[in-house]
């Protein structure tokens, strides 16, 4: 990790301002913890860490493609998503996930290491975000540097820790954060916090929900030690009875002033500050899998016949409201090609792009002389949706009713209701009708694998509804759920080289170059058969 950790030092020193969060106005001659306060480091660390979650070829796109929600517009780009669809994965595949997380967790660690007094709130926030992002390293890679990582030049080739041990350490970080928040009356207010505005009660709720997610990842493990540990921690969380109930967002002052200040998702997938659409705007379209699911026309792998999802034209655009297909999301099968090339992909005019509920784009063009660019550029980023919290609680209540005693069905329905509320946002100059969650819950209730009453497998229903709620927003979560549970039911691309999806990612090339004595050696078959410890290989 030599090359990566050297970058840590440079990057961390640039994160100093909330309003101009990539400005460089300090020297690199002195140790970071002595020259830059946690107040100055935090907003930049939060911003760039979120970019790893939401922007470009990072976590959201990986999950949205792998769970067969997004496809590529083959009328506009030939060979797009070729690695994802063929699943020829190597050590250059989504390297930005590993590199981005480690770069920014280093900044959180510098906050944790501060010697300045009364910084407990900042340290607690940094511990919570360290746990939040490092969980994804374990989930997507397994063993990883942890106990010897984040030491800068003091250790340029850190050893790899057991992934189960890392998970336990992350829970400890969350517990320490809660203790700091509860027992630090003189702590400086976290006024530079661009996520929760320094509201430490909400940070506690967020920490609890992250811990719940960590514990549920281990639901496949049945050894007595893990069962005892998991049940003990679940009981402690139940006693706290304090989980996320509203979306956890981030906004350092996103604006259309320039490209660097835009919401990173909008800049990468919709338009730059001048209103010019990047290639992704016309390339990323609905897959036929999610299109038929939302349109109520899918017969396999799910039966949604007659169940039209009102969220569909918030998730994706209506390509031809007066034409063909009439008032339906238009999708392309992953791996398909155009009719002229021997395939059956629909024409460009009949494909649905990312919709207003995901992009904030009010009409078809961000440069259309209205408020589209403003709405999308300034829109909050979404770190965790309230719907995810409710679905996590529903799963816990269903799996462990003796410990997690809340009503699983009620929490499941709260998750759906929160998702419908998410897709009923307020935009400048545009009023979107509120979506009717109650009607959808009633209509879907009898559908196997989708509604609660009609589902023989309640976990399938929870994961399917969670997929619908998070896809395109926090798409990595449904993909990890698929690895863990087998749901949502997700067909393979036409060009896939095998019957299954990868359970993990390769370690990035930078590790094989700079930390070769420690990085585990993997083969391509292992990527499809081995993963994090919680898969119970």
């Amino acid at each position: 990790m030599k090359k990566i950790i050297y970058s840590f030092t440079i990057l961390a020193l640039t994160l100093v301002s909330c309003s101009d969060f990539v400005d460089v106005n300090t020297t690199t001659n002195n140790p970071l913890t002595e020259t830059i306060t946690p107040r100055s480091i935090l907003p930049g660390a939060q911003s760039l860490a979120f970019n790893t979650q939401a922007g470009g070829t990072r976590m959201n796109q990986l999950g949205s493609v792998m769970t067969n929600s997004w496809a590529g517009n083959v009328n506009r780009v030939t060979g797009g998503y070729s690695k994802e669809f063929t699943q020829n994965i190597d050590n250059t595949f989504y390297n930005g996930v590993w590199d981005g997380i480690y770069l920014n967790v280093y900044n959180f660690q510098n906050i944790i290491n501060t010697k300045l007094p009364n910084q407990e709130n900042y340290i607690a926030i940094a511990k919570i975000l360290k746990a939040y992002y490092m969980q994804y390293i374990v989930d997507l890679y397994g063993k990883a540097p942890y106990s010897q990582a984040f030491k800068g030049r003091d250790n340029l080739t850190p050893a790899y820790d057991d992934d189960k041990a890392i998970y336990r350490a992350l829970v400890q970080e969350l517990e320490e954060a809660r203790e700091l928040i509860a027992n630090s009356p003189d702590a400086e207010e976290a006024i530079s916090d661009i996520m929760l505005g320094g509201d430490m009660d909400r940070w506690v709720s967020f920490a609890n929900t992250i811990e719940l997610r960590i514990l549920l990842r281990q639901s496949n493990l049945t050894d007595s030690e893990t069962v005892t540990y998991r049940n003990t921690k679940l009981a402690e969380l139940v006693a706290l009875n304090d989980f996320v109930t509203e979306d956890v967002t981030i906004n350092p002052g996103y604006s259309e002033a320039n490209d660097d200040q835009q919401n990173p998702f909008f800049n990468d997938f919709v338009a730059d500050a001048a209103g010019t659409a990047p290639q992704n705007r016309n390339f990323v379209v609905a897959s036929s899998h999610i299109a038929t699911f939302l349109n109520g026309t899918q017969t396999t792998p799910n039966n949604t016949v007659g169940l039209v999802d009102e969220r569909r034209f918030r998730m994706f655009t209506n390509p031809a409201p007066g034409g063909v297909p009439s008032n339906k999301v238009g999708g392309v099968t992953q791996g398909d090609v155009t009719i002229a090339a021997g395939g059956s992909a629909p024409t460009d005019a009949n494909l649905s792009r990312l919709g207003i509920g995901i992009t904030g784009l009010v009409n078809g063009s961000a440069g259309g002389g209205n408020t589209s660019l403003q709405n999308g550029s300034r829109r909050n980023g979404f770190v965790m949706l309230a719907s995810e919290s409710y679905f996590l609680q529903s799963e816990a209540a269903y799996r462990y009713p003796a410990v997690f005693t809340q009503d699983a069905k009620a929490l499941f329905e709260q998750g759906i209701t929160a998702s419908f509320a998410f897709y009923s946002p307020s935009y400048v100059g545009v009023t979107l009708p509120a979506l009717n969650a109650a009607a959808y819950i009633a209509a879907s209730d009898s559908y196997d694998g989708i509604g609660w009453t009609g589902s023989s497998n309640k976990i399938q229903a929870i994961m399917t509804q969670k997929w619908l709620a998070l896809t395109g927003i926090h798409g990595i979560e449904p993909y990890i759920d698929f690895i863990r549970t087998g749901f949502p039911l997700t067909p393979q691309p036409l060009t896939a080289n095998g019957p299954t999806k990868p359970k993990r990612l390769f370690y990035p090339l930078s590790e094989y170059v700079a930390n070769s004595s420690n990085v585990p050696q993997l083969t391509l078959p292992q990527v499809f058969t081995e993963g994090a410890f919680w898969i119970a290989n």
Side-chain angles (χ1 to χ4, degrees):
M1 287 178 68
K2 185 179 296 183
K3 194 180 297 184
I4 295 176
I5 292 186
Y6 178 77
S7 298
F8 286 167
T9 306
I10 303 301
L11 179 63
L13 292 169
T14 69
L15 307 182
V16 295
S17 170
C18 183
S19 61
D20 189 5
F21 50 88
V22 292
D23 187 29
V24 179
N25 63 354
T26 190
T27 176
T28 61
N29 294 329
N30 297 315
L32 176 112
T33 53
E34 295 178 9
T35 60
I36 306 181
T37 64
R39 174 180 173 180
S40 298
I41 301 171
L42 182 64
Q46 290 174 316
S47 297
L48 293 179
F50 175 69
N51 193 25
T52 301
Q53 178 176 328
T57 53
R58 304 294 175 90
M59 291 160 60
N60 180 44
Q61 175 176 279
L62 172 64
S64 297
V65 175
M66 286 299 189
T67 54
N68 210 320
S69 301
W70 289 5
N73 184 348
V74 294
N75 302 284
R76 296 291 188 112
V77 178
T78 301
Y81 289 146
S82 60
K83 282 190 175 182
E84 291 91 335
F85 293 166
T86 61
Q87 297 176 2
N88 285 324
I89 297 170
D90 57 23
N91 54 25
T92 65
F93 186 77
Y94 283 82
N95 279 358
V97 175
W98 175 283
D99 293 347
I101 289 176
Y102 270 102
L103 284 166
N104 290 290
V105 171
Y106 182 83
N107 289 289
F108 296 132
Q109 188 64 49
N110 273 316
I111 294 174
I112 294 168
N113 293 342
T114 184
K115 298 177 182 178
L116 297 173
N118 302 323
Q119 300 301 299
E120 290 87 355
N121 285 337
Y122 284 105
I123 294 170
I125 291 171
K127 282 179 172 287
I128 293 167
L129 289 174
K130 178 183 178 182
Y132 178 87
Y133 284 105
M134 281 303 298
Q135 180 183 8
Y136 288 113
I137 291 292
V138 172
D139 294 342
L140 295 172
Y141 297 94
K143 296 178 180 179
Y146 187 79
S147 60
Q148 295 182 16
F150 319 118
K151 296 181 182 296
R153 291 188 174 91
D154 291 338
N155 190 343
L156 299 178
T157 55
Y160 277 59
D161 290 291
D162 178 76
D163 41 352
K164 184 176 182 178
I166 298 175
Y167 248 43
R168 296 290 174 91
L170 299 182
V171 170
Q172 184 176 342
E173 295 279 9
L174 295 169
E175 291 174 341
E176 291 173 356
R178 288 195 294 259
E179 185 175 350
L180 285 170
I181 293 169
N183 299 307
S184 304
D186 298 325
E188 178 182 320
E189 291 186 25
I191 59 174
S192 67
D193 169 26
I194 58 174
M195 286 178 55
L196 299 177
D199 186 335
M200 302 314 294
D201 289 338
R202 291 192 65 194
W203 276 105
V204 169
S205 302
F206 187 35
N208 296 343
T209 311
I210 296 168
E211 182 173 343
L212 178 61
R213 188 168 68 190
I214 288 173
L215 297 173
L216 288 175
R217 288 280 204 269
Q218 303 172 68
S219 59
N220 290 332
L221 303 181
T222 57
D223 64 281
S224 59
E225 191 275 336
T226 298
V227 169
T228 299
Y229 173 83
R230 185 180 59 219
N231 289 348
T232 299
K233 296 302 180 183
L234 283 172
E236 292 172 359
L237 290 177
V238 169
L240 294 174
N241 191 29
D242 183 9
F243 299 99
V244 164
T245 58
E246 54 186 303
D247 298 335
V248 176
T249 62
I250 182 169
N251 200 323
Y254 293 137
S255 79
E256 66 279 15
N258 58 63
D259 291 357
D260 288 336
Q261 290 186 330
Q262 286 183 289
N263 176 299
F265 180 87
F266 190 84
N267 180 264
D268 287 338
F269 289 94
V270 187
D272 63 18
T276 303
Q279 187 179 62
N280 278 333
R281 173 60 187 156
N282 290 310
F283 171 64
V284 179
V285 295
S287 72
S288 60
H289 171 60
I290 198 168
T292 56
F293 193 107
L294 296 171
N295 290 332
T297 60
Q298 187 172 117
T299 57
T300 185
N302 305 279
N303 176 19
T304 69
V305 175
L307 180 64
V308 177
D309 194 319
E310 202 178 12
R311 290 169 290 184
R312 61 182 175 162
F313 293 135
R314 305 290 170 86
M315 293 181 182
F316 299 99
T317 60
N318 187 345
V324 179
S326 178
N327 207 37
K328 292 182 179 179
V329 173
V332 60
T333 302
Q334 288 187 337
D336 201 357
V337 295
T338 62
I339 294 174
S344 59
T347 63
D348 182 63
N350 289 320
L351 290 175
S352 294
R353 290 155 176 78
L354 298 178
I356 186 173
I358 290 179
T359 66
L361 182 65
V362 173
N363 69 358
S365 171
N370 53 33
T371 59
S372 293
L373 185 62
Q374 176 182 327
N375 280 311
S377 297
R378 298 183 182 184
R379 191 174 190 232
N380 288 337
F382 298 95
V383 179
M384 176 182 281
L385 297 187
S387 56
E388 179 185 349
S389 173
Y390 288 122
F391 288 127
L392 287 169
Q393 293 173 69
S394 177
E395 180 184 356
Y398 179 74
R399 287 188 185 275
Y400 311 110
V403 181
F404 206 97
T405 55
Q406 286 86 338
D407 187 331
K409 179 176 184 286
L411 289 164
F412 172 79
E413 294 178 351
Q414 282 182 279
I416 296 174
T417 299
S419 176
F420 272 66
F422 174 84
Y423 279 107
S424 305
S426 297
Y427 290 117
V428 175
V430 175
T431 301
L432 296 175
L435 302 181
N436 191 337
Y440 174 82
I441 291 170
S444 64
D445 189 55
S446 62
Y447 281 77
D448 189 20
I450 301 169
W452 189 265
T453 302
S455 292
S456 55
N457 187 328
K458 307 301 185 190
I459 296 300
Q460 179 180 357
I462 294 169
M463 297 305 149
T464 300
Q465 289 295 342
K466 192 173 172 186
W467 166 63
L468 291 171
L470 301 187
T471 192
I473 300 295
H474 192 20
I476 197 65
E477 276 297 315
Y479 179 44
I480 294 172
D481 283 337
F482 173 82
I483 295 170
R484 178 171 66 95
T485 69
F487 302 114
L489 296 177
T490 305
Q492 285 284 74
L494 296 177
T495 50
N497 289 321
T500 61
K501 296 182 184 295
K503 293 184 176 181
R504 56 164 301 138
L505 301 180
F506 267 111
Y507 295 106
L509 181 61
S510 56
E511 281 294 276
Y512 289 104
V513 171
N515 199 16
S516 59
S517 62
N518 290 313
V519 61
Q521 301 300 310
L522 293 174
T523 64
L524 183 59
Q526 286 178 290
V527 171
F528 291 87
T529 60
E530 301 176 11
F533 77 97
W534 46 253
I535 294 178
N537 295 316

